[in-house]
Amino acid sequence: MEDTKENSLLAGDTFEEAGKKTMKHNGDHEEGVHTITQKGDLLKMAKAKMGELREENGRLKLLLAQMLKDYQSLQKNFLYIVKQEEANKKSTDTIFSSTPRQESTDQEEPGLISLSLGRGSSTEPNKKDEKKNQNFNGGRLLSLGLDLDYRFDQLINSSTSTEPADVDEKKKITSSEHSFHEDQLKEEEPIIETWPPPSKNIKTMRNGGRDHEDEQVMEQTHLKKARVSVRARCETTTMNDGCQWRKYGQKTAKGNPCPRAYYRCTVSPNCPVRKQVQRWVEDMSILITTYEGNHNHPLPISATAMASTTSAAASMLQCRSSTSQGLANSGLLDTSVSTSAAANFHGLNFTTENIYNARPHHQFYFPNNYSSISSSNYHPTITLDLTTAPTNYNSSSHFNRLISSSTSNLNFSSPSSSTNYNSLDQPYSSYMQMNNVLAPPPPPPPPHHHHQSTINAATTKVITSNPNFQSALAAAISSYIASKGAADDHQQNMIGISSSGDNNSGLNNLNKWVPVQVNSHESFPIMPAAAVYSTSSAQNRSSTGCASSFLNKLVSSNNNSQQQEAGNYNMSDVPEPSLPFSTSKSSDSGSP
DNA sequence: CGCCTTTGACCAGCGC
DNA sequence: GCGCTGGTCAAAGGCG
């Protein structure tokens, strides 16, 4: 464990240095190309710079590989610890099996919160809520529970098998280093969107009469129900997100004089993705675009960012359902408390709300009210609010920081790990660690301080244990950065990593993490996927839709020949990590 | 002719 | 059970 940490720090430091170098070269390169337009005789110099950049690219690839290795190592350790804790808990439960379970659940280790998701609940909901949440929470949690519990059941089963627990456990962890991820991918295959709609699926599937089939259907149902809503100021009827849509219906929703338009993706005839477009009743200039489903076909470059965001957000919603339920089950979180927890989530502002009725239920925090998660009973929705201009954004320092940050400092250890979370030199690690330690973060937290530390730790545990959440968060943040970057017309403030030609590369690269700083004192792990701003196959798609189509701005802002020549820090050659992230490609590739 | 939008009808879920 | 609502279907018509 310590060796791993040392490696992580080492990799992080090296990466930081490399990042600074890269920034230097990148800046020089920008300047050089700019000069080329005036003095052609500097072409050779620019080429030399490009060569340097390629060298740096290679070094960064190696560093990334090292970081990924560290990450996997840490993850294995984390799982091992979790397994041990779970085994301990089991033995305790056996001893006190005759006592009411409320206590044992309350005593549950924060790190195990996510593991009990969708399983037994200590806080028995009233029948109404139970019924109400049966479709959404119950089913979706079941799917998540299956997803998570499957893995941990593996561990648990191994510990209870006839073989010695440690031996079996280690065997499982090592031998299944890849199979673990394969298992997850298999588990996530049901995410593949299918059509006809869920209700019809249920109807047909239930004819089979098998319970586990029903569970699978419910799982699919709720995964399909996950939505991503984007609020943006837009004067046109729809936001141009790079995809082709066909309107198939329009309905005037109650409480909103503006009709809601229904679109489906027409890029592929079987594409299950649909979107709803509706003006916000409180501000008609704001367009609410709600996406549902994952594309099962290659996407135009201009559409990859949004697709990645929606895809990742869907995964995030899965995770979130686990999180909130787990917290609730553990007695750590109720609605009001979650609000405070959210407020304490290092300034991240997740607002759980019904996007149409605007009735908050739970809150998590994204920066600048940028994003929110809705937990309407039937449609878990994450909302990306692009109507509020972000603040405290320094694009130049941003890039430095994102390069200098280290994902190797992912901390899966217990909350007791001591860290200097005020350090800005390690923004990402400070971010993660800040959420790991039992102390409030630097920004003045909102009320409910007495719950914050516990919830903070619990939330962090869940987040760090489920990469889906991280991926979704990263996607959302990358979009945030993108929109801001486009607005500022700074090309350099984009993620300095792009994917090559493959239209699916954006989704491919969901597996690849790059630390990104959102503002001067926050940084996050982020994948190039959502922030993929590929330039190698730039499509100068005219933006026929809303001018505020930030994603297209983003893409177009990076579609310049300079970056093409520079070879863009193309990470597509980096050894494919087997990180357990839910990638759209993995799930989509199976579809015809 | 193909694709798209429009629009009324239909269906399923949910609340009372 | 009934009515409301959200979501979808499909026919009709428009447009390039």
Side-chain angles (χ1 to χ4, degrees):
Chain A
M1 191 70 168
E2 290 200 353
D3 288 343
T4 310
K5 279 185 177 177
E6 287 179 10
N7 289 336
S8 303
L9 291 171
L10 186 62
D13 292 340
T14 315
F15 187 72
E16 179 177 354
E17 291 176 12
K20 287 176 179 174
K21 284 181 183 177
T22 304
M23 273 308 301
K24 182 176 181 297
H25 292 312
N26 201 24
D28 291 345
H29 170 71
E30 285 272 325
E31 191 177 347
V33 173
H34 179 69
T35 312
I36 284 173
T37 61
Q38 302 171 344
K39 301 179 181 179
D41 57 349
L42 292 178
L43 182 62
K44 286 182 180 179
M45 187 192 301
K47 286 183 178 177
K49 297 283 183 188
M50 284 160 50
E52 292 177 5
L53 283 169
R54 290 196 178 95
E55 271 186 37
E56 288 291 337
N57 190 17
R59 282 196 287 271
L60 287 170
K61 286 178 186 174
L62 291 176
L63 288 169
L64 180 64
Q66 176 64 38
M67 288 161 55
L68 293 170
K69 188 178 172 185
D70 292 340
Y71 173 82
Q72 290 174 359
S73 175
L74 285 166
Q75 187 182 49
K76 282 193 293 184
N77 289 328
F78 171 70
L79 291 174
Y80 180 66
I81 291 169
V82 165
K83 172 254 163 187
Q84 284 187 326
E85 290 176 342
E86 186 70 21
N88 291 337
K89 178 176 170 292
K90 258 199 164 184
S91 61
T92 308
D93 287 348
T94 307
I95 295 172
F96 300 101
S97 59
S98 60
T99 62
R101 304 279 18 112
Q102 173 76 42
E103 187 177 342
S104 67
T105 314
D106 286 344
Q107 290 171 346
E108 196 174 51
E109 185 74 16
L112 298 178
I113 286 170
S114 64
L115 308 184
S116 63
L117 308 174
R119 292 288 171 90
S121 172
S122 61
T123 56
E124 185 178 330
N126 60 52
K127 286 186 178 178
K128 199 170 184 178
D129 287 342
E130 194 176 25
K131 184 180 178 182
K132 196 159 107 182
N133 293 328
Q134 193 173 6
N135 283 336
F136 167 60
N137 283 336
R140 196 157 51 85
L141 283 169
L142 175 61
S143 72
L144 292 161
L146 288 171
D147 186 44
L148 291 170
D149 292 339
Y150 176 78
R151 300 170 227 152
F152 291 105
D153 281 350
Q154 262 193 334
L155 305 178
I156 292 167
N157 290 339
S158 70
S159 66
T160 55
S161 65
T162 54
E163 292 183 60
D166 288 345
V167 175
D168 193 14
E169 159 63 14
K170 286 174 182 173
K171 193 196 299 178
K172 289 232 174 197
I173 285 183
T174 46
S175 67
S176 65
E177 181 172 350
H178 77 280
S179 65
F180 171 86
H181 304 297
E182 285 181 359
D183 288 341
Q184 188 181 20
L185 289 177
K186 287 176 185 174
E187 285 293 305
E188 292 177 348
E189 278 178 0
I191 293 175
I192 296 170
E193 314 294 339
T194 58
W195 214 256
S199 58
K200 295 177 182 175
N201 269 349
I202 292 175
K203 191 182 283 184
T204 52
M205 292 292 286
R206 274 182 182 168
N207 290 336
R210 293 169 62 179
D211 289 341
H212 75 276
E213 284 183 357
D214 285 354
E215 290 174 0
Q216 284 183 345
V217 173
M218 293 300 290
E219 178 178 345
Q220 291 185 8
T221 297
H222 300 295
L223 289 173
K224 274 180 289 194
K225 290 291 182 181
R227 291 175 170 178
V228 178
S229 179
V230 179
R231 289 189 209 188
R233 295 195 180 277
C234 183
E235 293 180 358
T236 56
T237 55
T238 182
M239 222 170 66
N240 179 22
D241 47 24
C243 270
Q244 297 174 359
W245 302 95
R246 177 183 178 180
K247 188 177 182 180
Y248 66 90
Q250 180 170 309
K251 198 86 175 179
T252 302
K254 188 183 180 183
N256 191 338
C258 300
R260 180 183 303 167
Y262 299 91
Y263 295 85
R264 63 167 56 116
C265 178
T266 59
V267 175
S268 168
N270 296 326
C271 182
V273 176
R274 303 197 173 185
K275 76 171 180 180
Q276 301 173 9
V277 179
Q278 186 177 29
R279 294 277 167 196
W280 193 23
V281 65
E282 295 183 20
D283 186 349
M284 297 296 186
S285 66
I286 293 177
L287 200 67
I288 301 176
T289 307
T290 303
Y291 297 87
E292 179 179 331
N294 290 332
H295 295 278
N296 60 1
H297 52 81
L299 288 169
I301 296 299
S302 55
T304 54
M306 180 62 81
S308 300
T309 302
T310 56
S311 173
S315 300
M316 178 180 181
L317 285 166
Q318 288 179 249
C319 172
R320 186 199 146 269
S321 70
S322 306
T323 305
S324 59
Q325 182 69 27
L327 290 171
N329 286 348
S330 66
L332 288 172
L333 188 64
D334 57 24
T335 302
S336 60
V337 175
S338 73
T339 301
S340 66
N344 195 22
F345 190 49
H346 193 48
L348 296 179
N349 188 359
F350 291 67
T351 303
T352 310
E353 60 179 322
N354 181 312
I355 59 172
Y356 298 114
N357 297 332
R359 288 173 52 193
H361 300 290
H362 302 81
Q363 286 186 352
F364 299 88
Y365 279 70
F366 259 104
N368 300 318
N369 296 320
Y370 166 66
S371 300
S372 62
I373 298 175
S374 166
S375 66
S376 63
N377 289 331
Y378 208 64
H379 293 289
T381 304
I382 177 170
T383 301
L384 310 181
D385 192 345
L386 307 176
T387 60
T388 305
T391 58
N392 293 333
Y393 185 85
N394 185 323
S395 59
S396 58
S397 66
H398 153 71
F399 194 86
N400 275 317
R401 288 197 178 279
L402 78 86
I403 292 297
S404 64
S405 307
S406 170
T407 57
S408 299
N409 289 321
L410 258 176
N411 190 347
F412 290 106
S413 61
S414 67
S416 61
S417 45
S418 62
T419 52
N420 178 13
Y421 52 79
N422 283 325
S423 170
L424 294 180
D425 294 331
Q426 298 275 343
Y428 171 64
S429 62
S430 70
Y431 156 71
M432 295 304 294
Q433 292 163 354
M434 197 177 303
N435 289 280
N436 263 343
V437 296
L438 295 168
H448 304 291
H449 292 254
H450 56 287
H451 283 300
Q452 288 176 0
S453 58
T454 306
I455 294 163
N456 214 21
T459 305
T460 304
K461 286 277 185 181
V462 174
I463 290 169
T464 54
S465 64
N466 193 325
N468 287 340
F469 185 95
Q470 297 172 343
S471 64
L473 179 61
I477 291 166
S478 65
S479 296
Y480 164 87
I481 294 168
S483 65
K484 179 60 182 175
D488 288 348
D489 198 24
H490 282 291
Q491 296 182 353
Q492 275 194 359
N493 60 6
M494 295 305 155
I495 312 292
I497 298 168
S498 69
S499 62
S500 56
D502 181 8
N503 278 343
N504 254 346
S505 57
L507 301 178
N508 279 338
N509 288 334
L510 275 167
N511 282 349
K512 297 161 187 174
W513 287 75
V514 176
V516 163
Q517 186 194 357
V518 171
N519 60 29
S520 59
H521 45 269
E522 290 174 3
S523 73
F524 303 88
I526 200 161
M527 308 150 297
V532 163
Y533 313 120
S534 176
T535 61
S536 55
S537 60
Q539 297 183 0
N540 290 325
R541 222 170 245 272
S542 61
S543 185
T544 57
C546 178
S548 67
S549 178
F550 68 102
L551 292 167
N552 289 317
K553 276 187 182 178
L554 161 64
V555 172
S556 61
S557 71
N558 286 273
N559 287 344
N560 59 71
S561 57
Q562 298 172 12
Q563 287 187 347
Q564 288 186 30
E565 287 184 8
N568 304 315
Y569 296 104
N570 189 338
M571 291 200 166
S572 60
D573 294 330
V574 173
E576 193 69 31
S578 46
L579 298 176
F581 303 156
S582 171
T583 66
S584 298
K585 188 187 178 184
S586 63
S587 55
D588 290 339
S589 59
S591 299

